[in-house]
Amino acid sequence: MSRDTPRQTLEQARQRALDLARQGRIEQALDSCIEALSIEPDDVGSLRLSGELQHRLGRSGAARDALSRAVQLDPDSAPVRLSLARALASLGDTAGAAAQVEAALASAPDVAQIQNQAGELLGNMGLTGRAEALFRRAHELDPLLPAAQFNLAMAAVGRDDAARALSLLQTLVGQRPDLAIGWLQLGGV
């Protein structure tokens, strides 16, 4: 009978945490994540997941702590920095969140998804001009990224530019008919 290596056990615990999180079983997912961290306390993936789960549970301070440690271990990880920015924003640390967003952007200047996610975060913080610039950048990097097109359309709605919003949404639905339901759910567009 073979025994799993610590690395295999770590990966199994992390995968179990991901599976539980997808099922909406956040507390149990966090328990599995803690199990993974007991095997390897400096595992960036487990720290990030732990922080995101803590954030979903409304434990922003614990999220900040786990994600800060992950950033220390992997300062070039844009996804980890964006996760930390979300936690900081929920704690009211707008300056800290914005700094993490900018560091994430510097780490991944040509990744459309990072540009778009950073824009969403800044938009949620009320920094709509910078957010829209990031949505445009994401769209330039990947013209077929649905989230960037959608966010550009919503930014146009925010500026009372219904014609531009409608044009973007029509293009998006033409490329991805499965997204038409989301468009219809907007109602106000």
Side-chain angles (χ1 to χ4, degrees), residues 100-182:
Q100 290 302 319
V101 167
E102 294 305 325
L105 292 168
S107 294
D110 297 322
V111 179
Q113 293 87 347
I114 295 298
Q115 300 291 315
N116 188 65
Q117 290 171 8
E120 289 173 345
L121 227 162
L122 292 177
N124 290 337
M125 291 168 34
L127 303 171
T128 56
R130 178 74 171 123
E132 188 170 358
L134 291 171
F135 300 147
R136 275 194 303 277
R137 175 71 175 135
H139 186 63
E140 290 168 8
L141 291 167
D142 184 354
L144 299 179
L145 180 65
Q149 285 180 277
F150 180 80
N151 286 330
L152 276 171
M154 293 303 94
V157 169
R159 290 190 328 276
D160 289 328
D161 187 351
R164 175 73 174 137
L166 186 58
S167 172
L168 286 162
L169 290 172
Q170 286 174 329
T171 301
L172 176 59
V173 171
Q175 293 167 347
R176 296 276 312 271
D178 57 309
L179 297 176
I181 292 172

Side-chain angles (χ1 to χ4, degrees), residues 32-123:
S32 289
C33 207
I34 291 168
E35 177 187 341
L37 288 167
S38 73
I39 297 164
E40 178 52 59
D42 290 339
D43 180 63
V44 173
S46 297
L47 284 164
R48 177 181 175 207
L49 181 56
S50 172
E52 290 174 353
L53 293 169
Q54 294 280 12
H55 187 255
R56 284 179 65 181
L57 290 167
R59 302 173 190 161
S60 298
R64 176 202 53 219
D65 296 345
L67 292 162
S68 292
R69 178 71 182 133
V71 165
Q72 287 174 343
L73 294 167
D74 189 1
D76 294 327
S77 173
V80 172
R81 285 193 176 272
L82 289 179
S83 294
L84 177 57
R86 280 184 203 90
L88 291 170
S90 69
L91 289 167
D93 183 357
T94 305
Q100 290 302 319
V101 167
E102 294 305 325
L105 292 168
S107 294
D110 297 322
V111 179
Q113 293 87 347
I114 295 298
Q115 300 291 315
N116 188 65
Q117 290 171 8
E120 289 173 345
L121 227 162
L122 292 177

